[in-house]
Amino acid sequence: MSSDTVDRILKSAESQARTGGYNAFSFREIAKDIGIKSSSIHYHFPTKADLATELTKRYTEKFTQHLEMIDVGGKDLISKLSDYADLFYEALRTDQKMCLCGLFAAEADALPDEVKAQTQKFFKTNISWLEDLLTKHDVPSPESEAMKLLANMEGAMLLAKAFESEKHFKGAIDLSKFE
Amino acid sequence: MSSDTVDRILKSAESQARTGGYNAFSFREIAKDIGIKSSSIHYHFPTKADLATELTKRYTEKFTQHLEMIDVGGKDLISKLSDYADLFYEALRTDQKMCLCGLFAAEADALPDEVKAQTQKFFKTNISWLEDLLTKHDVPSPESEAMKLLANMEGAMLLAKAFESEKHFKGAIDLSKFE
DNA sequence: GTCTATAATTTGATAGAC
DNA sequence: GTCTATCAAATTATAGAC
C-alpha cells in the first residue's frame, strides 16, 4: 500500500497530528487539505486507528533509515551523538513541529492500543540504537545512558515548542558528558 | 473564584487533560464525572479556553508552591536537584499522568493563545527557579544548565509514559553532572 | 478509487426557567 | 448556581452509485 493518495493522506495527517496530537487530525480536515472526500480516506484506512498506526509506523521507519545512515562504528562518539541530535533538530527546524512519537507518548493513555504499541516501537528502536553506539564506544551503563539521552532529545523538543523557538532545542541538548 | 464546584470541575478537567491533552477533555465529560450538567460549567467558565487557562494557572501555582518549599539556599546542591526531580516524579507516580504543561507545550500550536501563554509561564518559572539555585551554588552557565535540567525532567516523564512505567522516569533522570 | 448521501454521536455554546 | 432544552458544527463511519 503506497499509492500517491495514501502518501498525501499520511503527509497531511502527520502535519496535523504533530501539531495537536491524536485528537487534532480528522478525516474531514485531511480530505479538505488534499482535495478529496473523507469517505475516500476510509477506503484506504477503514478506521482512524488504522490511519494513525500506519502513520506512526512510517514515521518510525523513516527515522530508522536516517539512524542507520549514522555509522555507529566510527571513531568519534561525540560527533555521532551530535548527528543523532541533529535528526531531531531537523525534524523540528524543517516542520516547526514536535516529534510525532513524542507527542503520542505524552498522550499514550488516550491512544488506541495499536497506535500506542507502534509509538513504543519508536522509543525501543532509539534506545537499541543508542545502546549499540555507546557499547561500541565502551561507555559504561549503555542502557541507562541511552535512556537519559533520548529523554534529553524529546525534552529539548518540548522546550523548543514551549518557548516557540527551535533555537531553544540546541540550548537544551546536553552531550557534555561524552566530550 | 474558588467554590467547591469550581474545584471539582478543575480537578476532573486536569485528569482528562493530562491523559490526552487539550482536545481530550470536554464540558460534557467533566459534567458527567462530577454529577452536574455541562451548562453549569459554562456558568463558571464561559469558554473552554477560559477553563483551560485557569487550569494551567492553578497547576503552575501549585507547582510553584512546592518549588518554594525546597530551600534554594541550603548547602547540598545535588539533594536540592533530587528534591526538584521528585516533584515531577510524584506528579507521575501519584496520578500516573504526564505533566499538564509538558503535554500542553507539545501541542502548543493547537492551543488558544491564553492557554499557550499560561503554559509558557510554567516553563519560565521553572527556568528561573533552577537558575537561581544553580547561581547560588556557583554553577557556571546557570541559564543553560537550567534548560538542560528542565528538558531532562519533561523528557523523563515522556519516556515513562511511552514505556508505561514510572520507574523509567528515575532511569532517565541525569543529575550526575552535579554530584 | 472516488463520489453522494446519510447516520449516530459528540462537541462548544446559548436562552431562559427555577 | 443549576437546571432543561436546544442549536450549529464537527466527528467517525457506512451504504451504495459511478
Side-chain angles (χ1 to χ4, degrees):
Chain A
M1 196 207 324
S2 66
S3 69
D4 184 54
T5 301
V6 166
D7 288 343
R8 283 158 62 223
I9 290 169
L10 291 171
K11 187 180 175 184
S12 176
E14 179 183 323
S15 174
Q16 293 170 41
R18 286 178 61 192
T19 300
Y22 186 80
N23 291 312
F25 74 96
S26 70
F27 284 76
R28 273 197 170 56
E29 276 298 306
I30 296 168
K32 194 194 297 179
D33 187 29
I34 65 176
I36 59 173
K37 295 296 171 180
S38 65
S39 55
S40 301
I41 302 179
H42 280 284
Y43 169 80
H44 298 283
F45 304 101
T47 71
K48 186 174 180 178
D50 291 329
L51 206 176
T53 302
E54 181 67 16
L55 175 63
T56 312
K57 193 177 174 187
R58 290 209 188 186
Y59 187 85
T60 302
E61 281 170 1
K62 198 171 180 179
F63 197 91
T64 303
Q65 283 171 15
H66 286 128
L67 266 187
E68 288 168 351
M69 288 176 62
I70 304 175
D71 177 21
V72 176
K75 54 192 164 189
D76 197 351
L77 174 61
I78 183 68
S79 79
K80 304 294 175 197
L81 287 174
S82 181
D83 288 348
Y84 177 70
D86 279 344
L87 292 185
F88 291 89
Y89 181 62
E90 280 306 306
L92 185 70
R93 202 186 56 81
T94 306
D95 310 314
Q96 307 274 20
K97 291 188 195 333
M98 176 71 185
C99 169
L100 175 75
C101 293
L103 219 175
F104 276 2
E107 54 187 20
D109 292 333
L111 296 179
D113 286 340
E114 317 153 271
V115 184
K116 199 197 301 190
Q118 199 60 51
T119 300
Q120 253 187 33
K121 280 194 188 175
F122 174 87
F123 285 85
K124 285 178 178 168
T125 300
N126 273 268
I127 293 296
S128 291
W129 185 88
L130 283 167
E131 244 184 285
D132 193 25
L133 172 69
L134 297 171
T135 300
K136 284 200 168 65
H137 285 84
D138 301 312
V139 173
S141 311
E143 189 189 350
S144 176
E145 295 300 334
M147 289 287 290
K148 298 173 204 295
L149 280 164
L150 184 51
N152 188 219
M153 301 299 136
E154 293 290 352
M157 288 197 96
L158 208 135
L159 258 65
K161 293 311 298 176
F163 289 114
E164 295 182 287
S165 157
E166 70 262 30
K167 291 180 182 174
H168 283 76
F169 177 84
K170 295 260 179 182
I173 291 295
D174 189 2
L175 303 177
S176 61
K177 187 193 284 185
F178 304 99
E179 278 168 349
Chain B
M1 194 203 332
S2 66
S3 69
D4 184 53
T5 302
V6 165
D7 288 343
R8 283 159 62 224
I9 290 169
L10 290 171
K11 187 180 175 184
S12 177
E14 178 182 325
S15 174
Q16 294 170 41
R18 285 178 61 192
T19 299
Y22 186 80
N23 292 312
F25 74 95
S26 70
F27 284 78
R28 276 199 171 54
E29 277 297 307
I30 297 168
K32 194 193 296 178
D33 186 29
I34 66 176
I36 60 172
K37 295 297 171 181
S38 65
S39 54
S40 301
I41 302 179
H42 281 285
Y43 170 80
H44 298 282
F45 304 100
T47 70
K48 186 174 180 179
D50 291 328
L51 206 176
T53 301
E54 181 67 16
L55 175 62
T56 312
K57 193 177 173 185
R58 291 209 188 184
Y59 186 86
T60 302
E61 280 170 2
K62 199 172 181 180
F63 196 92
T64 303
Q65 282 170 16
H66 286 129
L67 266 187
E68 288 168 352
M69 287 175 61
I70 304 176
D71 177 21
V72 176
K75 54 191 162 182
D76 197 350
L77 174 61
I78 184 68
S79 79
K80 303 295 175 195
L81 287 173
S82 182
D83 288 350
Y84 177 70
D86 279 344
L87 292 186
F88 291 89
Y89 181 63
E90 280 306 305
L92 184 70
R93 202 187 56 81
T94 305
D95 311 315
Q96 307 273 23
K97 291 187 196 331
M98 177 71 187
C99 170
L100 176 74
C101 293
L103 218 175
F104 276 3
E107 55 187 18
D109 291 332
L111 297 179
D113 286 340
E114 317 153 272
V115 184
K116 196 197 301 191
Q118 199 60 51
T119 300
Q120 254 187 32
K121 279 194 190 176
F122 175 88
F123 284 85
K124 286 178 178 169
T125 300
N126 274 267
I127 293 295
S128 290
W129 186 88
L130 282 168
E131 244 186 284
D132 192 27
L133 172 68
L134 297 171
T135 300
K136 283 200 169 64
H137 285 83
D138 300 312
V139 173
S141 311
E143 190 190 348
S144 176
E145 295 300 333
M147 289 286 291
K148 297 172 204 292
L149 279 165
L150 183 51
N152 187 221
M153 300 300 136
E154 294 290 352
M157 289 197 95
L158 208 136
L159 257 65
K161 293 312 297 176
F163 290 113
E164 295 181 288
S165 158
E166 70 262 29
K167 290 179 184 174
H168 284 76
F169 176 85
K170 296 258 180 184
I173 291 295
D174 189 2
L175 303 177
S176 60
K177 187 192 285 186
F178 305 99
E179 276 167 350

